[in-house]
């Protein structure tokens, strides 16, 4: 072969090598860990559709005991959950033996105890599926269907940090009122032919009750975490001030993330990466109201950030509140496993997966098509944000291997 031909051949081989390397990086298929992420994604997709059925094939025949056994410091439920359909079925159908006002908070809810002693939080329907909540991203009432959708998105993203949620229809006259405490019962009223209640909370008003369709009320029920795992509340480092004219430090200080990295529990361990994951999660669902978050107590930063109270989401499909992603674009780090999963979900896969996951919920369809389209669109914005970070700082800096001991300094 002549020298000129050899040079051309070598040049072609070099181009192929570079292209292959870039392609493999872009498709995140360069390590055993990434291949495991891909296998985990396929396992998730295979078990995505959950049919609600009462049958339990488990040595523990109580769905509540199974769900309680699942909870560990870094996940609320495991990757493999063959009993999930039976547990969600129990949440949606078990007899209500007591009903009370919800735990303290700003939004209307009821605390129910189901047969077998399991506590669940009931959030009533306040809006139709196609209602658009205008105004600030955190405006309006809680959206019960958002809790259902957020739980399934948590499954799809592989976080497994959200409590179990399912839709449920309850008859206020026959299921709730006979077992209601006096405190809850005193908030019931009739509006036209509909039974309503307004409960006890910071924003609860007699003039703004939640009303059933006749006696039947649609809502969501969230499984109460086991009492052996007490919660600890934390101020979110990227929380809002909620004061007109007053900005939080992260809103004006470009080096704010550097300061966060020097404070506990964000100076080591998984918590900062949990904050980044949560920013992605909240951006996808349009939740700009996570000013606090919960972890398990006495965890020294090792516990997961638990994805509680996701109902201030899916209010406006046109919402593109980029500030929710501030932890991501200010810190410019993200878990490799999260980045892998997000890439697997692009090109319409996320919308399809979410729709499939929610198909068997009792209140299906859980989300309208504009909201499903919005989730796909927001995913693209997340991918672009990470790409901007890798262009600026390099992939080795931005993509953090979460299977290794973490240090952010």
């Amino acid at each position: 072969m002549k020298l000129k031909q050899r040079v051309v051949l070598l040049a072609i081989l070099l181009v192929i090598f570079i292209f292959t390397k870039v392609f493999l990086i872009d498709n995140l298929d360069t390590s055993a860990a990434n291949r495991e992420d891909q296998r985990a994604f396929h396992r998730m997709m295979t078990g995505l559709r959950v049919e609600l059925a009462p049958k339990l094939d488990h040595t523990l025949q109580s769905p509540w005991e199974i769900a309680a056994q699942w909870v560990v410091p870094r996940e609320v439920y495991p990757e493999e959950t063959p009993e999930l359909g039976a547990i969600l079925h129990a949440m949606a159908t078990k007899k209500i033996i007591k009903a009370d006002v919800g735990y303290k908070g700003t939004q209307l809810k009821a605390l129910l105890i189901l047969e077998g002693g399991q506590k669940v939080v009931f959030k009533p329907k306040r809006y139709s599926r196609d209602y658009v909540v205008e105004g600030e991203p955190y405006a309006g009432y809680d959206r019960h269907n958002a809790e259902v959708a957020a739980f399934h998105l948590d499954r799809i993203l592989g976080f497994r940090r959200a409590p179990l949620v399912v839709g449920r229809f309850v008859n206020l006259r026959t299921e709730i009122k006979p077992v209601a405490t006096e405190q809850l019962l005193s908030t019931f009223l009739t509006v036209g032919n509909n039974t309503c209640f307004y409960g006890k909370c910071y924003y609860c008003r007699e003039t703004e009750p939640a009303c059933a369709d006749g006696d039947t009320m649609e809502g969501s029920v969230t499984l109460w975490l086991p009492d052996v795992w007490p919660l600890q509340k934390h101020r979110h480092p990227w929380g809002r001030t909620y004061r007109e004219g007053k900005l939080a430090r992260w809103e004006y200080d470009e080096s704010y993330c550097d300061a966060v990295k020097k404070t506990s529990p964000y100076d080591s361990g998984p918590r900062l990466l949990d904050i980044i994951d949560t920013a992605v999660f909240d951006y996808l669902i349009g939740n700009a109201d996570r000013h606090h978050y919960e972890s398990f107590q006495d965890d020294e930063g090792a516990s997961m950030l638990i994805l509680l109270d996701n109902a201030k989401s899916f209010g406006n499909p046109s919402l593109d509140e980029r500030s929710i992603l501030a932890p991501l674009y200010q810190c410019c780090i993200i878990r490799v496993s999260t980045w892998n999963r997000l890439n697997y979900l692009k090109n319409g896969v996320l919308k399809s997966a979410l729709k499939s996951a929610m198909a068997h919920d009792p209140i299906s369809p859980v989300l309208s098509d504009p909201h499903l389209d919005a989730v796909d669109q927001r995913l693209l914005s997340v991918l672009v944000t990470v790409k901007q970070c890798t262009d600026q700082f390099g992939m080795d800096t931005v993509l953090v291997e979460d299977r290794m001991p973490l240090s952010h300094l």
Side-chain angles (χ1 to χ4, degrees):
M1 187 181 292
K2 294 180 180 179
L3 178 62
K4 186 175 180 181
Q5 290 174 316
R6 289 177 180 173
V7 170
V8 171
L9 180 59
L10 286 171
I12 292 171
L13 290 172
L14 182 62
V15 169
I16 292 173
F17 172 76
I18 293 171
F19 174 80
T20 302
K21 189 172 182 181
V22 170
F23 179 82
L24 287 174
I25 289 173
D26 284 346
N27 285 275
L28 307 161
D29 208 4
T30 58
S31 71
N34 289 333
R35 287 193 292 275
E36 175 52 34
D37 284 342
Q38 194 167 42
R39 286 192 290 269
F41 174 73
H42 289 308
R43 287 195 298 269
M44 180 278 296
M45 291 294 285
T46 301
L48 195 58
R49 292 176 72 91
V50 179
E51 294 192 31
L52 276 63
K55 187 178 179 183
L56 266 177
D57 293 321
H58 197 282
T59 53
L60 294 173
Q61 287 304 303
S62 165
W64 316 136
E65 290 180 12
I66 295 169
Q69 219 178 47
W70 282 348
V71 181
V72 293
R74 292 297 305 167
E75 62 184 20
V76 175
Y77 52 94
E79 181 183 7
E80 301 288 338
T81 54
E83 302 86 11
L84 182 59
I87 296 170
L88 295 179
H89 179 270
M91 292 167 62
T93 61
K94 284 285 188 183
K95 183 179 179 181
I96 300 165
I97 60 175
K98 185 179 179 182
D100 200 354
V101 295
Y103 57 92
K104 63 182 180 179
T106 62
Q107 298 289 314
L108 173 61
K109 60 186 77 72
L111 180 61
L112 308 181
I113 298 180
L114 305 182
E115 187 178 21
Q118 178 62 51
K119 286 190 261 186
V120 296
V121 176
F122 177 80
K123 294 190 176 181
K125 176 182 177 181
R126 305 299 294 254
Y127 301 112
S128 63
R129 295 292 189 275
D130 56 356
Y131 185 89
V132 175
V133 180
E134 302 288 356
E136 298 291 344
Y138 43 84
Y141 303 117
D142 273 0
R143 276 76 80 177
H144 72 296
N145 57 316
E147 291 282 11
V148 178
F151 163 63
H152 288 288
L153 179 63
D154 177 67
R155 293 176 59 217
I156 291 166
L157 293 175
F159 293 162
R160 301 192 292 279
R161 300 172 207 154
L164 277 57
V165 185
V166 70
R168 177 164 180 162
F169 291 94
V170 297
N171 188 301
L172 295 182
R173 182 176 58 83
T174 62
E175 292 185 89
I176 301 295
K177 292 181 77 173
V179 296
T181 62
E182 184 56 40
Q183 193 175 22
L184 177 61
L185 204 55
S186 66
T187 72
F188 273 78
L189 65 156
T190 302
V191 178
N193 295 320
N194 301 319
T195 303
C196 312
F197 76 103
Y198 57 91
K200 299 280 186 183
C201 69
Y202 187 81
Y203 290 124
C204 290
R205 304 284 185 273
E206 186 175 354
T207 54
E208 300 180 32
C211 291
D213 182 5
D215 292 322
T216 304
M217 175 172 277
E218 178 183 320
S220 66
V221 287
T222 301
L223 196 70
W224 195 271
L225 290 170
D227 292 336
V228 296
W229 294 98
L231 301 182
Q232 181 176 352
K233 197 169 189 175
H234 308 264
R235 177 75 186 175
H236 196 299
W238 276 269
R240 300 170 181 272
T241 65
Y242 292 89
R243 298 177 196 167
E244 190 173 350
K246 182 173 176 58
L247 297 177
R249 180 178 169 183
W250 64 267
E251 294 180 277
Y252 62 82
D253 184 354
E254 293 183 2
S255 63
Y256 177 70
C257 185
D258 293 333
V260 173
K261 290 177 182 178
K262 295 175 183 176
T263 60
S264 179
Y266 311 107
D267 54 348
S268 64
R271 188 62 57 80
L272 182 58
L273 289 171
D274 282 1
I275 290 283
I276 305 296
D277 282 349
T278 303
V280 171
F281 177 81
D282 283 338
Y283 180 71
L284 292 176
I285 65 178
N287 176 23
D289 197 45
R290 201 178 297 279
H291 43 83
H292 290 84
Y293 69 86
E294 285 80 15
S295 70
F296 293 131
Q297 277 184 10
D298 303 321
D299 64 337
E300 297 182 353
S303 161
M304 63 186 152
L305 188 164
I306 305 167
L307 298 173
L308 286 172
D309 292 332
N310 303 307
K312 277 295 179 70
S313 52
F314 296 108
N316 188 339
S318 300
L319 176 71
D320 187 14
E321 186 64 26
R322 290 271 299 163
S323 64
I324 303 173
L325 282 178
L328 174 60
Y329 62 69
Q330 289 184 352
C331 296
C332 269
I333 57 172
I334 191 170
R335 283 186 168 96
V336 171
S337 58
T338 301
W339 175 238
N340 287 350
R341 184 60 60 98
L342 295 174
N343 273 275
Y344 300 146
L345 290 168
K346 62 188 179 184
N347 300 324
V349 176
L350 178 55
K351 173 184 175 178
S352 176
L354 195 53
K355 199 169 185 176
S356 178
M358 302 184 297
H360 291 290
D361 193 272
I363 65 169
S364 180
V366 176
L367 294 177
S368 64
D369 282 336
H371 283 297
L372 290 166
D373 291 335
V375 173
D376 261 358
Q377 191 60 44
R378 290 172 190 148
L379 173 59
L380 295 179
S381 297
V382 176
L383 297 175
V384 167
T385 301
V386 178
K387 181 65 164 58
Q388 290 169 343
C389 287
T390 57
D391 287 347
Q392 184 175 356
F393 300 107
M395 296 188 76
D396 289 344
T397 299
V398 175
L399 302 185
V400 179
E401 183 51 70
D402 49 331
R403 300 168 184 87
M404 303 295 289
L406 304 174
S407 176
H408 310 308
L409 296 180

